[in-house]
Amino acid sequence: ALAANLGAVAAEGAKLAFAQARRAGETTLDRSLADTVADAARTFGVIADYWRADPKRALDAQSAITGGFIDLWARTLDRLTGKPAEPLVPVDPQDKRFADPLWRENPLFDFLRQAYGLSANWAKKLIDDAASVDPQTRERANFYLRQIAGALSPSNFLPTNPELLRETFRENGENLVRGVKMLAGDIEA
């Protein structure tokens, strides 16, 4: 049943691609999207310029993220060998994306959750600590960061989401077929 449903997902995916291609041929480029992407790039460029202006400051920022990942990897290795290890990035009880216990109990999913949090927190700190950047630019950068970080959450992808994997196996992939059909319908509409 799972194999049949994965085949159905592939077939629905082909329909989805066709609907998207047809829609793209009927519409013109949405300038507001292009303008938003350009503004995000300019905004992040201002933040990057602050950090690039001082090599020591840039090295300190790079060392912070590198050190965080080394610490996270060491804690994950401890867990994988049966040793207790406190999380580097604690679970945020307000963040429902990571509410399932497997995000904490399984060392792989916990690593993904923490790596995501570590990266997002580091990027936010870069924005917030860019001292010479005006408040409006900092606010826009934080807005764009929230959008990008939200889109890149491991909870959004089948192989990195324990809840979705469990549900997919429980339903033999029927949930994926329904999802692709709904997405194709939305695009068509």
Side-chain angles (χ1 to χ4, degrees):
L2 179 59
N5 282 324
L6 291 178
V9 167
E12 290 297 324
K15 290 180 190 175
L16 173 65
F18 177 74
Q20 184 64 26
R22 190 173 56 149
R23 183 172 177 257
E26 296 171 356
T27 61
T28 59
L29 177 64
D30 183 353
R31 289 300 316 157
S32 65
L33 175 61
D35 292 343
T36 300
V37 170
D39 185 58
R42 280 191 302 273
T43 301
F44 286 134
V46 171
I47 302 295
D49 287 346
Y50 170 82
W51 291 97
R52 284 192 304 244
D54 180 350
K56 181 185 179 329
R57 183 168 52 215
L59 181 61
D60 289 346
Q62 200 59 45
S63 296
I65 190 70
T66 302
F69 271 100
I70 290 170
D71 190 10
L72 176 58
W73 182 245
R75 291 173 193 229
T76 302
L77 286 176
D78 282 347
R79 288 197 59 205
L80 288 169
T81 59
K83 298 176 190 168
E86 288 295 314
L88 181 64
V89 179
V91 173
D92 178 1
Q94 303 296 330
D95 193 344
K96 302 301 181 202
R97 296 172 299 177
F98 304 109
D100 190 282
L102 274 178
W103 284 109
R104 294 174 300 286
E105 294 167 1
N106 181 294
L108 172 63
F109 292 120
D110 189 45
F111 175 84
L112 291 170
R113 178 193 63 78
Q114 290 189 71
Y116 167 74
L118 182 66
S119 301
N121 293 341
W122 175 77
K124 180 164 179 20
K125 185 168 175 36
L126 288 182
I127 293 167
D128 293 344
D129 290 354
S132 65
V133 173
D134 66 276
Q136 294 82 10
T137 300
R138 194 175 296 116
E139 187 177 323
R140 275 197 335 273
N142 273 311
F143 170 79
Y144 290 132
L145 175 62
R146 283 190 305 273
Q147 305 311 304
I148 293 168
L152 295 176
S153 171
S155 63
N156 292 337
F157 304 96
L158 176 63
T160 57
N161 183 326
E163 293 173 88
L164 187 53
L165 283 169
R166 183 176 50 238
E167 190 66 17
T168 299
F169 285 115
R170 188 180 73 71
E171 291 192 32
N172 289 319
E174 289 177 23
N175 58 326
L176 301 179
V177 175
R178 283 191 311 274
V180 172
K181 283 181 178 180
M182 286 188 283
L183 178 59
D186 289 347
I187 289 174
E188 187 65 33

mmCIF file of all heavy atoms in Angstrom, residues 63-100:
data_model
loop_
_atom_site.group_PDB
_atom_site.id
_atom_site.type_symbol
_atom_site.label_atom_id
_atom_site.label_comp_id
_atom_site.label_asym_id
_atom_site.label_seq_id
_atom_site.Cartn_x
_atom_site.Cartn_y
_atom_site.Cartn_z
ATOM 1 N N SER A 63 33.081 32.290 14.735
ATOM 2 C CA SER A 63 33.507 31.392 15.810
ATOM 3 C C SER A 63 32.339 31.014 16.708
ATOM 4 O O SER A 63 32.282 29.880 17.213
ATOM 5 C CB SER A 63 34.604 32.062 16.654
ATOM 6 O OG SER A 63 35.750 32.278 15.867
ATOM 7 N N ALA A 64 31.408 31.925 16.911
ATOM 8 C CA ALA A 64 30.253 31.638 17.764
ATOM 9 C C ALA A 64 29.408 30.517 17.180
ATOM 10 O O ALA A 64 29.021 29.574 17.895
ATOM 11 C CB ALA A 64 29.416 32.900 17.962
ATOM 12 N N ILE A 65 29.116 30.573 15.892
ATOM 13 C CA ILE A 65 28.290 29.529 15.293
ATOM 14 C C ILE A 65 29.065 28.214 15.192
ATOM 15 O O ILE A 65 28.514 27.138 15.455
ATOM 16 C CB ILE A 65 27.697 29.953 13.913
ATOM 17 C CG1 ILE A 65 26.635 28.955 13.426
ATOM 18 C CG2 ILE A 65 28.765 30.120 12.867
ATOM 19 C CD1 ILE A 65 25.356 28.962 14.196
ATOM 20 N N THR A 66 30.339 28.289 14.862
ATOM 21 C CA THR A 66 31.152 27.077 14.769
ATOM 22 C C THR A 66 31.259 26.407 16.137
ATOM 23 O O THR A 66 31.069 25.188 16.255
ATOM 24 C CB THR A 66 32.555 27.409 14.217
ATOM 25 O OG1 THR A 66 32.414 28.035 12.942
ATOM 26 C CG2 THR A 66 33.410 26.164 14.091
ATOM 27 N N GLY A 67 31.545 27.186 17.166
ATOM 28 C CA GLY A 67 31.630 26.637 18.520
ATOM 29 C C GLY A 67 30.314 26.040 18.977
ATOM 30 O O GLY A 67 30.289 24.988 19.633
ATOM 31 N N GLY A 68 29.217 26.682 18.622
ATOM 32 C CA GLY A 68 27.904 26.149 18.973
ATOM 33 C C GLY A 68 27.663 24.791 18.335
ATOM 34 O O GLY A 68 27.160 23.865 18.996
ATOM 35 N N PHE A 69 28.033 24.648 17.064
ATOM 36 C CA PHE A 69 27.823 23.365 16.389
ATOM 37 C C PHE A 69 28.765 22.288 16.923
ATOM 38 O O PHE A 69 28.375 21.115 17.016
ATOM 39 C CB PHE A 69 27.936 23.506 14.872
ATOM 40 C CG PHE A 69 26.622 23.837 14.238
ATOM 41 C CD1 PHE A 69 26.320 25.132 13.876
ATOM 42 C CD2 PHE A 69 25.664 22.855 14.040
ATOM 43 C CE1 PHE A 69 25.090 25.455 13.322
ATOM 44 C CE2 PHE A 69 24.432 23.160 13.484
ATOM 45 C CZ PHE A 69 24.144 24.464 13.125
ATOM 46 N N ILE A 70 29.979 22.655 17.295
ATOM 47 C CA ILE A 70 30.883 21.670 17.893
ATOM 48 C C ILE A 70 30.306 21.180 19.220
ATOM 49 O O ILE A 70 30.292 19.974 19.505
ATOM 50 C CB ILE A 70 32.297 22.264 18.069
ATOM 51 C CG1 ILE A 70 32.946 22.442 16.694
ATOM 52 C CG2 ILE A 70 33.155 21.388 18.986
ATOM 53 C CD1 ILE A 70 34.237 23.240 16.710
ATOM 54 N N ASP A 71 29.793 22.100 20.027
ATOM 55 C CA ASP A 71 29.173 21.745 21.304
ATOM 56 C C ASP A 71 27.941 20.865 21.070
ATOM 57 O O ASP A 71 27.745 19.845 21.742
ATOM 58 C CB ASP A 71 28.806 23.014 22.071
ATOM 59 C CG ASP A 71 28.388 22.745 23.506
ATOM 60 O OD1 ASP A 71 28.543 21.607 24.007
ATOM 61 O OD2 ASP A 71 27.903 23.699 24.164
ATOM 62 N N LEU A 72 27.116 21.231 20.107
ATOM 63 C CA LEU A 72 25.919 20.447 19.806
ATOM 64 C C LEU A 72 26.299 19.042 19.352
ATOM 65 O O LEU A 72 25.695 18.051 19.784
ATOM 66 C CB LEU A 72 25.069 21.146 18.740
ATOM 67 C CG LEU A 72 23.829 20.389 18.259
ATOM 68 C CD1 LEU A 72 22.888 20.076 19.415
ATOM 69 C CD2 LEU A 72 23.123 21.196 17.182
ATOM 70 N N TRP A 73 27.297 18.937 18.495
ATOM 71 C CA TRP A 73 27.729 17.632 18.013
ATOM 72 C C TRP A 73 28.245 16.782 19.177
ATOM 73 O O TRP A 73 27.914 15.586 19.276
ATOM 74 C CB TRP A 73 28.796 17.800 16.935
ATOM 75 C CG TRP A 73 29.252 16.495 16.351
ATOM 76 C CD1 TRP A 73 30.486 15.951 16.441
ATOM 77 C CD2 TRP A 73 28.465 15.568 15.603
ATOM 78 N NE1 TRP A 73 30.528 14.742 15.796
ATOM 79 C CE2 TRP A 73 29.287 14.476 15.272
ATOM 80 C CE3 TRP A 73 27.141 15.538 15.191
ATOM 81 C CZ2 TRP A 73 28.840 13.383 14.550
ATOM 82 C CZ3 TRP A 73 26.690 14.441 14.468
ATOM 83 C CH2 TRP A 73 27.539 13.387 14.152
ATOM 84 N N ALA A 74 29.028 17.376 20.083
ATOM 85 C CA ALA A 74 29.551 16.634 21.240
ATOM 86 C C ALA A 74 28.406 16.141 22.123
ATOM 87 O O ALA A 74 28.416 14.984 22.586
ATOM 88 C CB ALA A 74 30.504 17.522 22.037
ATOM 89 N N ARG A 75 27.421 16.983 22.364
ATOM 90 C CA ARG A 75 26.272 16.571 23.187
ATOM 91 C C ARG A 75 25.474 15.461 22.494
ATOM 92 O O ARG A 75 24.990 14.543 23.151
ATOM 93 C CB ARG A 75 25.366 17.774 23.461
ATOM 94 C CG ARG A 75 26.006 18.782 24.389
ATOM 95 C CD ARG A 75 25.150 20.031 24.498
ATOM 96 N NE ARG A 75 25.867 21.113 25.127
ATOM 97 C CZ ARG A 75 25.380 21.840 26.123
ATOM 98 N NH1 ARG A 75 24.173 21.602 26.595
ATOM 99 N NH2 ARG A 75 26.105 22.800 26.645
ATOM 100 N N THR A 76 25.342 15.552 21.185
ATOM 101 C CA THR A 76 24.623 14.512 20.446
ATOM 102 C C THR A 76 25.389 13.197 20.503
ATOM 103 O O THR A 76 24.784 12.127 20.700
ATOM 104 C CB THR A 76 24.387 14.952 18.992
ATOM 105 O OG1 THR A 76 23.644 16.173 18.999
ATOM 106 C CG2 THR A 76 23.637 13.894 18.203
ATOM 107 N N LEU A 77 26.699 13.239 20.366
ATOM 108 C CA LEU A 77 27.500 12.019 20.474
ATOM 109 C C LEU A 77 27.362 11.405 21.861
ATOM 110 O O LEU A 77 27.269 10.176 21.998
ATOM 111 C CB LEU A 77 28.970 12.304 20.160
ATOM 112 C CG LEU A 77 29.305 12.525 18.690
ATOM 113 C CD1 LEU A 77 30.779 12.888 18.520
ATOM 114 C CD2 LEU A 77 28.970 11.294 17.868
ATOM 115 N N ASP A 78 27.347 12.243 22.897
ATOM 116 C CA ASP A 78 27.123 11.732 24.250
ATOM 117 C C ASP A 78 25.798 10.987 24.321
ATOM 118 O O ASP A 78 25.727 9.878 24.851
ATOM 119 C CB ASP A 78 27.131 12.874 25.277
ATOM 120 C CG ASP A 78 28.536 13.350 25.629
ATOM 121 O OD1 ASP A 78 29.514 12.659 25.285
ATOM 122 O OD2 ASP A 78 28.648 14.431 26.251
ATOM 123 N N ARG A 79 24.756 11.581 23.790
ATOM 124 C CA ARG A 79 23.437 10.935 23.816
ATOM 125 C C ARG A 79 23.436 9.636 23.033
ATOM 126 O O ARG A 79 22.824 8.654 23.457
ATOM 127 C CB ARG A 79 22.370 11.873 23.254
ATOM 128 C CG ARG A 79 22.069 13.023 24.205
ATOM 129 C CD ARG A 79 20.795 13.703 23.909
ATOM 130 N NE ARG A 79 19.665 12.782 23.967
ATOM 131 C CZ ARG A 79 18.522 12.975 23.308
ATOM 132 N NH1 ARG A 79 18.362 14.033 22.555
ATOM 133 N NH2 ARG A 79 17.547 12.107 23.410
ATOM 134 N N LEU A 80 24.099 9.632 21.886
ATOM 135 C CA LEU A 80 24.141 8.427 21.070
ATOM 136 C C LEU A 80 24.891 7.284 21.760
ATOM 137 O O LEU A 80 24.659 6.116 21.460
ATOM 138 C CB LEU A 80 24.766 8.722 19.706
ATOM 139 C CG LEU A 80 23.903 9.543 18.750
ATOM 140 C CD1 LEU A 80 24.718 10.002 17.552
ATOM 141 C CD2 LEU A 80 22.671 8.753 18.305
ATOM 142 N N THR A 81 25.805 7.620 22.673
ATOM 143 C CA THR A 81 26.549 6.590 23.409
ATOM 144 C C THR A 81 25.934 6.315 24.775
ATOM 145 O O THR A 81 26.539 5.639 25.604
ATOM 146 C CB THR A 81 28.031 6.994 23.556
ATOM 147 O OG1 THR A 81 28.117 8.248 24.247
ATOM 148 C CG2 THR A 81 28.711 7.093 22.205
ATOM 149 N N GLY A 82 24.745 6.851 25.014
ATOM 150 C CA GLY A 82 24.028 6.551 26.246
ATOM 151 C C GLY A 82 24.304 7.470 27.411
ATOM 152 O O GLY A 82 23.777 7.266 28.506
ATOM 153 N N LYS A 83 25.121 8.480 27.210
ATOM 154 C CA LYS A 83 25.412 9.429 28.290
ATOM 155 C C LYS A 83 24.351 10.522 28.306
ATOM 156 O O LYS A 83 23.866 10.942 27.255
ATOM 157 C CB LYS A 83 26.786 10.069 28.082
ATOM 158 C CG LYS A 83 27.930 9.099 28.098
ATOM 159 C CD LYS A 83 29.220 9.821 27.784
ATOM 160 C CE LYS A 83 30.341 8.827 27.556
ATOM 161 N NZ LYS A 83 31.523 9.469 26.989
ATOM 162 N N PRO A 84 24.003 11.008 29.478
ATOM 163 C CA PRO A 84 23.047 12.121 29.521
ATOM 164 C C PRO A 84 23.707 13.414 29.035
ATOM 165 O O PRO A 84 24.901 13.620 29.236
ATOM 166 C CB PRO A 84 22.675 12.213 31.005
ATOM 167 C CG PRO A 84 23.839 11.608 31.731
ATOM 168 C CD PRO A 84 24.434 10.577 30.798
ATOM 169 N N ALA A 85 22.929 14.241 28.377
ATOM 170 C CA ALA A 85 23.440 15.529 27.894
ATOM 171 C C ALA A 85 22.286 16.524 27.877
ATOM 172 O O ALA A 85 21.235 16.260 27.287
ATOM 173 C CB ALA A 85 24.043 15.384 26.504
ATOM 174 N N GLU A 86 22.506 17.641 28.518
ATOM 175 C CA GLU A 86 21.517 18.707 28.503
ATOM 176 C C GLU A 86 21.460 19.316 27.105
ATOM 177 O O GLU A 86 22.491 19.446 26.441
ATOM 178 C CB GLU A 86 21.873 19.800 29.513
ATOM 179 C CG GLU A 86 21.664 19.396 30.949
ATOM 180 C CD GLU A 86 20.194 19.148 31.258
ATOM 181 O OE1 GLU A 86 19.342 19.965 30.863
ATOM 182 O OE2 GLU A 86 19.910 18.107 31.890
ATOM 183 N N PRO A 87 20.282 19.705 26.644
ATOM 184 C CA PRO A 87 20.206 20.317 25.313
ATOM 185 C C PRO A 87 20.893 21.678 25.291
ATOM 186 O O PRO A 87 20.823 22.436 26.256
ATOM 187 C CB PRO A 87 18.711 20.447 25.058
ATOM 188 C CG PRO A 87 18.065 20.385 26.397
ATOM 189 C CD PRO A 87 18.980 19.597 27.287
ATOM 190 N N LEU A 88 21.566 21.945 24.220
ATOM 191 C CA LEU A 88 22.177 23.257 24.018
ATOM 192 C C LEU A 88 21.088 24.287 23.743
ATOM 193 O O LEU A 88 21.159 25.421 24.212
ATOM 194 C CB LEU A 88 23.159 23.191 22.834
ATOM 195 C CG LEU A 88 23.920 24.455 22.488
ATOM 196 C CD1 LEU A 88 24.844 24.839 23.640
ATOM 197 C CD2 LEU A 88 24.728 24.247 21.217
ATOM 198 N N VAL A 89 20.084 23.887 22.980
ATOM 199 C CA VAL A 89 18.936 24.737 22.663
ATOM 200 C C VAL A 89 17.713 24.089 23.323
ATOM 201 O O VAL A 89 17.224 23.071 22.844
ATOM 202 C CB VAL A 89 18.719 24.867 21.138
ATOM 203 C CG1 VAL A 89 17.511 25.734 20.835
ATOM 204 C CG2 VAL A 89 19.975 25.405 20.465
ATOM 205 N N PRO A 90 17.245 24.662 24.423
ATOM 206 C CA PRO A 90 16.096 24.058 25.092
ATOM 207 C C PRO A 90 14.841 24.109 24.226
ATOM 208 O O PRO A 90 14.714 24.932 23.328
ATOM 209 C CB PRO A 90 15.898 24.907 26.347
ATOM 210 C CG PRO A 90 16.987 25.912 26.375
ATOM 211 C CD PRO A 90 17.726 25.849 25.083
ATOM 212 N N VAL A 91 13.927 23.207 24.508
ATOM 213 C CA VAL A 91 12.652 23.178 23.801
ATOM 214 C C VAL A 91 11.845 24.409 24.222
ATOM 215 O O VAL A 91 11.732 24.717 25.409
ATOM 216 C CB VAL A 91 11.872 21.890 24.124
ATOM 217 C CG1 VAL A 91 10.479 21.929 23.522
ATOM 218 C CG2 VAL A 91 12.633 20.678 23.644
ATOM 219 N N ASP A 92 11.319 25.115 23.245
ATOM 220 C CA ASP A 92 10.443 26.256 23.509
ATOM 221 C C ASP A 92 9.016 25.735 23.599
ATOM 222 O O ASP A 92 8.461 25.300 22.590
ATOM 223 C CB ASP A 92 10.576 27.283 22.385
ATOM 224 C CG ASP A 92 9.668 28.487 22.539
ATOM 225 O OD1 ASP A 92 8.914 28.558 23.543
ATOM 226 O OD2 ASP A 92 9.701 29.361 21.658
ATOM 227 N N PRO A 93 8.403 25.770 24.797
ATOM 228 C CA PRO A 93 7.049 25.219 24.916
ATOM 229 C C PRO A 93 6.012 25.964 24.073
ATOM 230 O O PRO A 93 4.946 25.428 23.776
ATOM 231 C CB PRO A 93 6.733 25.344 26.411
ATOM 232 C CG PRO A 93 7.732 26.278 26.970
ATOM 233 C CD PRO A 93 8.905 26.304 26.038
ATOM 234 N N GLN A 94 6.315 27.173 23.633
ATOM 235 C CA GLN A 94 5.406 27.939 22.781
ATOM 236 C C GLN A 94 5.463 27.497 21.322
ATOM 237 O O GLN A 94 4.561 27.783 20.545
ATOM 238 C CB GLN A 94 5.738 29.440 22.859
ATOM 239 C CG GLN A 94 5.693 30.017 24.250
ATOM 240 C CD GLN A 94 4.310 29.956 24.858
ATOM 241 O OE1 GLN A 94 3.306 30.006 24.152
ATOM 242 N NE2 GLN A 94 4.235 29.811 26.166
ATOM 243 N N ASP A 95 6.544 26.815 20.936
ATOM 244 C CA ASP A 95 6.733 26.407 19.543
ATOM 245 C C ASP A 95 6.103 25.036 19.321
ATOM 246 O O ASP A 95 6.705 24.008 19.610
ATOM 247 C CB ASP A 95 8.222 26.389 19.202
ATOM 248 C CG ASP A 95 8.485 26.274 17.717
ATOM 249 O OD1 ASP A 95 7.558 25.902 16.959
ATOM 250 O OD2 ASP A 95 9.623 26.553 17.304
ATOM 251 N N LYS A 96 4.893 25.025 18.792
ATOM 252 C CA LYS A 96 4.126 23.791 18.612
ATOM 253 C C LYS A 96 4.714 22.877 17.535
ATOM 254 O O LYS A 96 4.386 21.692 17.478
ATOM 255 C CB LYS A 96 2.659 24.110 18.277
ATOM 256 C CG LYS A 96 1.965 24.944 19.328
ATOM 257 C CD LYS A 96 1.975 24.259 20.672
ATOM 258 C CE LYS A 96 1.248 25.111 21.700
ATOM 259 N NZ LYS A 96 1.633 24.818 23.046
ATOM 260 N N ARG A 97 5.589 23.415 16.684
ATOM 261 C CA ARG A 97 6.185 22.586 15.631
ATOM 262 C C ARG A 97 6.999 21.436 16.215
ATOM 263 O O ARG A 97 7.147 20.396 15.587
ATOM 264 C CB ARG A 97 7.101 23.416 14.733
ATOM 265 C CG ARG A 97 6.396 24.500 13.964
ATOM 266 C CD ARG A 97 7.379 25.385 13.255
ATOM 267 N NE ARG A 97 8.261 26.034 14.221
ATOM 268 C CZ ARG A 97 9.271 26.841 13.899
ATOM 269 N NH1 ARG A 97 9.534 27.073 12.632
ATOM 270 N NH2 ARG A 97 10.006 27.398 14.835
ATOM 271 N N PHE A 98 7.535 21.644 17.419
ATOM 272 C CA PHE A 98 8.417 20.649 18.034
ATOM 273 C C PHE A 98 7.814 20.061 19.305
ATOM 274 O O PHE A 98 8.527 19.649 20.209
ATOM 275 C CB PHE A 98 9.783 21.275 18.313
ATOM 276 C CG PHE A 98 10.429 21.857 17.093
ATOM 277 C CD1 PHE A 98 10.554 23.226 16.935
ATOM 278 C CD2 PHE A 98 10.900 21.034 16.082
ATOM 279 C CE1 PHE A 98 11.138 23.768 15.799
ATOM 280 C CE2 PHE A 98 11.487 21.567 14.945
ATOM 281 C CZ PHE A 98 11.609 22.933 14.801
ATOM 282 N N ALA A 99 6.494 20.004 19.369
ATOM 283 C CA ALA A 99 5.811 19.514 20.572
ATOM 284 C C ALA A 99 5.883 17.990 20.715
ATOM 285 O O ALA A 99 5.868 17.479 21.834
ATOM 286 C CB ALA A 99 4.348 19.969 20.566
ATOM 287 N N ASP A 100 5.955 17.264 19.607
ATOM 288 C CA ASP A 100 5.996 15.812 19.685
ATOM 289 C C ASP A 100 7.217 15.365 20.497
ATOM 290 O O ASP A 100 8.319 15.878 20.300
ATOM 291 C CB ASP A 100 6.069 15.222 18.271
ATOM 292 C CG ASP A 100 5.876 13.728 18.267
ATOM 293 O OD1 ASP A 100 6.834 12.997 18.613
ATOM 294 O OD2 ASP A 100 4.766 13.282 17.927
#
